[in-house]
Amino acid sequence: LLGYILNCGLYGALCVQVYLYYISFPHDHSRSKAVVYSLFVIETAQVIMNISDVFDLFAVGYGDLDTLDQIHLSWLAVPVLTGLVSFIVQCFYGHRIYLLTERCWIPSAIALLAFTQFTAAVTGGIQVYLKGRFSQIESARTASTVWLAGSAACDVVIAIAMTHHLVSADTGFKSTHLILTKIIRLVVETGSVTASVAVLDLILFLVFPHATYHTVPAQCLAKIYSNAVLVLFNSRIKVRGGREEAKDSHGSDMELHYSTASTGFQFGGPLKFNPRGVSHRESHPDNVDVSSWADDLQTTMHNVVR
């Protein structure tokens, strides 16, 4: 029951994030929109299945202990749909890494791990469906281990690869450093959370194979993946007057915010990015040519979050 409650709560957070994305970034690439809205559809389907199971377990089957042991739609809602969600998210990150590095071997490794965990998730779901009872779920031990371990390993590879490239892209300019530091923090934090939940689910499943403790993190895993990728997309939203306003080296206010029409960004001072390109209004206060690093930074931001 706790897993169902947390699942619904995380779905509420996802609805807010999807709405913020919808109103803030109408001109994002169609691939990005497809990722966001397909995840939302899958998560909605999972919530509907969970609500149906809750009704069957605690309303129709109230007082019947045998009903609590039955799988119902959990075989599809948890391993299969969670594996599908993580597969989509991990492939999205793999594609971002390919755009950043222009190398195939790391994205290929990510795609292989993502496909492996998805295949194992589907296999485990089918095995659980054939057994039909939580008390016999240990039959899917191997498939579940490959699914959760593969998912956690893939998340770690993604976090390390993106962090390494973004750190190497740091130009030393304060404004650049602030942006890249924010993205690195988001990538590491979200990757750590998803990997930790997957590992926790695996540990509980292996240590308590005949109990249902593992269903709590399992119910949350898909929603955590979806919320994590929406956090990255919506990190471009800037609240005017917020705490993220920085000051340049001369102490003057430098307002940094993202346009709702694109992934471009603009400075209130010497440099302005806009959806149609880069325009330089004046030279940098330190007489530094910023055109090259500005173009590189804009490209990096575009490849990461759009």
Side-chain angles (χ1 to χ4, degrees), residues 11-275:
Y11 179 72
L14 180 65
C15 289
V16 174
Q17 290 213 74
V18 171
Y19 176 71
L20 290 175
Y21 176 83
Y22 171 76
I23 63 175
S24 300
F25 307 106
H27 301 294
D28 263 6
H29 198 283
S30 57
R31 285 195 298 267
S32 298
K33 292 181 179 179
V35 169
V36 172
Y37 299 133
S38 61
L39 289 176
F40 183 67
V41 170
I42 295 171
E43 298 291 8
T44 301
Q46 188 187 58
V47 166
I48 293 173
M49 293 180 188
N50 285 339
I51 292 175
S52 175
D53 281 356
V54 169
F55 185 79
D56 289 340
L57 289 171
F58 301 105
V60 176
Y62 180 76
D64 186 359
L65 297 180
D66 184 67
T67 301
L68 295 176
D69 190 39
Q70 295 176 9
I71 292 295
H72 297 280
L73 294 176
S74 294
W75 69 273
L76 177 61
V78 178
V80 177
L81 293 188
T82 299
L84 178 59
V85 167
S86 57
F87 174 75
I88 294 173
V89 172
Q90 290 161 352
C91 287
F92 166 78
Y93 280 122
H95 183 247
R96 299 294 96 180
I97 292 172
Y98 172 74
L99 294 177
L100 288 170
T101 63
E102 296 183 348
R103 297 176 182 176
C104 295
W105 67 275
I106 294 180
S108 298
I110 293 172
L112 179 61
L113 285 172
F115 181 75
T116 300
Q117 66 85 18
F118 175 57
T119 303
V122 173
T123 302
I126 294 174
Q127 290 175 343
V128 171
Y129 170 75
L130 294 177
K131 293 297 181 180
R133 292 185 175 275
F134 283 107
S135 58
Q136 301 177 5
I137 202 173
E138 193 177 2
S139 61
R141 184 187 185 93
T142 301
S144 297
T145 301
V146 174
W147 162 40
L148 296 170
S151 185
C154 191
D155 295 337
V156 172
V157 172
I158 290 170
I160 293 175
M162 292 196 72
T163 300
H164 172 74
H165 184 78
L166 291 173
V167 168
S168 64
D170 196 341
T171 63
F173 285 89
K174 184 175 182 179
S175 55
T176 311
H177 180 72
L178 290 173
I179 297 170
L180 292 179
T181 298
K182 179 179 180 180
I183 297 177
I184 292 170
R185 186 178 70 249
L186 288 173
V187 170
V188 172
E189 289 176 352
T190 55
S192 300
V193 170
T194 52
S196 298
V197 174
V199 171
L200 176 61
D201 188 7
L202 178 60
I203 292 174
L204 292 176
F205 178 73
L206 295 177
V207 175
F208 305 101
H210 299 291
T212 57
Y213 302 136
H214 63 90
T215 60
V216 176
Q219 287 283 357
C220 301
L221 190 56
K223 298 295 185 295
I224 293 174
Y225 270 110
S226 298
N227 275 286
V229 76
L230 262 298
V231 165
L232 185 63
F233 277 119
N234 290 338
S235 65
R236 294 171 289 169
I237 298 174
K238 176 66 173 67
V239 178
R240 290 183 178 273
R243 296 181 181 274
E244 294 181 1
E245 289 185 358
K247 291 183 177 293
D248 61 19
S249 59
H250 295 275
S252 60
D253 290 336
M254 181 175 66
E255 184 179 356
L256 177 65
H257 66 88
Y258 294 105
S259 165
T260 59
S262 74
T263 55
F265 50 90
Q266 69 179 40
F267 295 88
L271 182 68
K272 180 180 180 181
F273 286 87
N274 55 64

